[in-house]
Amino acid sequence: MAIDLTQPLTQLRCKTEFSFRDGRNIQTFAPVGRMAAALADLGCPAAGIVDGGTWGHVKWARALEKHAIAPLFGREVTVVQDNGNKPKAWVLGSDMAALYRFSTAACREGADLLELLRSSTGILRFAGAALTDPDTFDYVDLNPASPLAQREAIRLAAHTGKPLVLTSDNAYAKATDHAAFMAISGGRSKVTPQHLLSLAELRPLFRQLDDTQFAAAVANTREAASRCDSVLRKAPMIHFAGDLPAQAAQGKAYRVSAGHIPAWTDEYEARMQRELAAIAGKGFESYFFVVADMIAWAKQRMLVGPGRGSSAGSLVCYLLGITEVDPLPHKLLFERFIDLTRADLPDIDVDFSDRKRELVFDYLSDKYGRDCVARIGNINTMKPRTVMGKIGEVFGLPHGEVFGLLNVLVEYSSGDARYGKALEDTLTQTDLGRKFVAAHPEAELMRELENHATHTGVHAAGVIVSNVPVNEYCTVGDGGVAQLDKPDSEYLNLLKIDALGLSTLGVIEDAGVVTGEELYALKLDDPKVFQIFNDRKFAGVFQFEGASQRSITTQIEIRSFQEIDHVTALARPGPLG
């Protein structure tokens, strides 16, 4: 039975840039946007992301959505065998919560993967190169990598009665990406195709299947995709019992009695009521309960910063003790903190002594349950200088010329609209860059590699708090780190708190020269403080040790607290750009 080879094929197993080989290097060149475009060119109705973890799931969903491709979600698992070999099997999720529970369990040290595969529900299991026990897999997958491996897979399917499915064996998206893959992988490649393949391209690579068997495998591939969940679960708004207006009223009484607010005027009352109405309208009350409780607990045990960022514009934050800045005298805007036109949670940055910050994480875990609290992960990407060094090494570019290019490198901070385009702009907008590309055309690959994911870590401050176990929305790996970065956690509606460890607070605390109350009561019109800035004594002054702040401050004379405020506002990527 022949099959129409012009039909699109669902790609069940796609590797992306989030297939990390180890802690330093990567084995693929497959940015999710590039993969999505390649899948669209093939007319794929659905495609599954199957890396060695689930770090790319949110980005995959968002990239495929732009091309009206249904995203499927899974991961590889490594099965350590008695002989020391480490072949891989893989799974796709038919129930996303079940997939992430499985993935979290698979991350645990000493996990019995074969038993997990036998007992887990809500996942589709694929034998890969690792599984032979029919109780551990649902499908046998064929890919073009090796005729011998194909023969073994066909034999396994015949022996167990499990259906065959077809996959590509991609380490990059398109055939034209081979050079970039060779550059990023250090020049190692297979003989067989390692890009996404159409049915017509796959057919001659599976000569061991007759037309009837090939048609059945295509049907099995589509059937497997139809069983998968194609929607990421978003967390509901967290809910904890409490009465926010009552807490704000208590805070009002304290601030007035302590003299922090000289008199409770109609302006204060109107501002408080407006903020409370906005918070209630957004359903954000529980967020304030969690943060206020955390800060109140911490203030009994360590120095906590007075509050910064957009949260300083909230009177309710001031009344709850989340911040120590009265926004009205400083004319700070509440709308910078909670934008009524957007649905995302407000962002509260809290500084703790760097020596004791871990106590805060422990407190949150103890209070809300360890399964309901996780650290946010971080995805590191290739920076321009790293890319230049790698391309120079792989292609043997003259070291002196590469070094010269560094001298004209256009660099952008992470907040700049051109972030990730530094090498593109260097090679196209500088005389030296244009000459370098003309002499060494392979240098064009630098533009492709910049900002490609390389490895993962832990976000410096971010922590997730949820009403239900976090591993129902993402994988939680060793050390309680969610396989999500900050933007991904926001996309999934997971409440995040930025608990920053500040060495300045640790030094002040160790010096024992000031209590928390004394710190918050410092006057803002002390000329001795202004003189420190005018004398250019920036060492150890928080937010003024950076080059941008120093550069701006040296151009003006500081005579008021407002001028210090203005310098910190100017020394940001947007204004500087």
Side-chain angles (χ1 to χ4, degrees), residues 273-288:
Q273 295 302 333
R274 179 162 63 86
E275 290 191 17
L276 288 172
I279 292 166
K282 290 283 195 175
F284 289 166
E285 296 99 323
S286 292
Y287 180 59
F288 285 80

Side-chain angles (χ1 to χ4, degrees), residues 171-227:
Y172 43 97
K174 294 185 174 185
T176 51
D177 293 331
H178 181 259
F181 164 68
M182 292 293 283
I184 208 167
S185 66
R188 294 180 291 277
S189 184
K190 299 178 183 177
V191 175
T192 51
Q194 286 184 270
H195 56 277
L196 297 171
L197 299 170
S198 67
L199 263 183
E201 291 169 317
L202 282 170
R203 183 63 188 103
L205 298 171
F206 294 131
R207 293 192 182 91
Q208 298 178 59
L209 298 178
D210 61 30
D211 285 350
T212 299
Q213 291 172 317
F214 186 79
V218 171
N220 293 336
T221 303
R222 292 178 177 139
E223 183 270 341
S226 72
R227 297 175 59 189

Side-chain angles (χ1 to χ4, degrees), residues 234-373:
K234 293 194 176 183
M237 188 65 66
I238 63 160
H239 177 74
F240 298 104
D243 185 336
L244 190 62
Q247 288 191 28
Q250 291 174 2
K252 161 190 163 183
Y254 166 70
R255 294 293 188 189
V256 173
S257 66
H260 299 164
I261 297 175
W264 190 261
T265 64
D266 291 344
E267 182 185 10
Y268 275 97
E269 182 65 23
R271 174 70 169 259
M272 182 180 76
Q273 295 302 333
R274 179 162 63 86
E275 290 191 17
L276 288 172
I279 292 166
K282 290 283 195 175
F284 289 166
E285 296 99 323
S286 292
Y287 180 59
F288 285 80
F289 297 153
V290 172
V291 177
D293 174 78
M294 174 188 72
I295 292 176
W297 180 89
K299 283 180 175 177
Q300 300 299 314
R301 293 161 178 83
M302 67 190 78
L303 280 184
V304 179
R308 59 189 171 98
S310 61
S311 62
S314 169
L315 178 60
V316 170
C317 281
Y318 182 54
L319 299 180
L320 296 182
I322 293 173
T323 65
E324 294 294 337
V325 179
D326 183 348
L328 271 68
H330 300 285
K331 297 180 170 55
L332 301 178
L333 302 176
F334 173 70
E335 286 72 17
R336 277 202 65 233
F337 177 49
I338 294 181
D339 185 341
L340 299 180
T341 65
R342 293 174 59 181
D344 49 327
L345 283 161
D347 193 11
I348 298 178
D349 295 335
V350 187
D351 295 310
F352 300 97
S353 164
D354 63 334
R355 317 292 173 82
K356 297 180 179 178
R357 182 180 58 148
E358 291 299 323
L359 298 176
V360 177
F361 297 136
D362 290 340
Y363 171 70
L364 292 172
S365 296
D366 291 341
K367 185 175 180 69
Y368 301 107
R370 295 203 171 269
D371 288 344
C372 296
V373 176

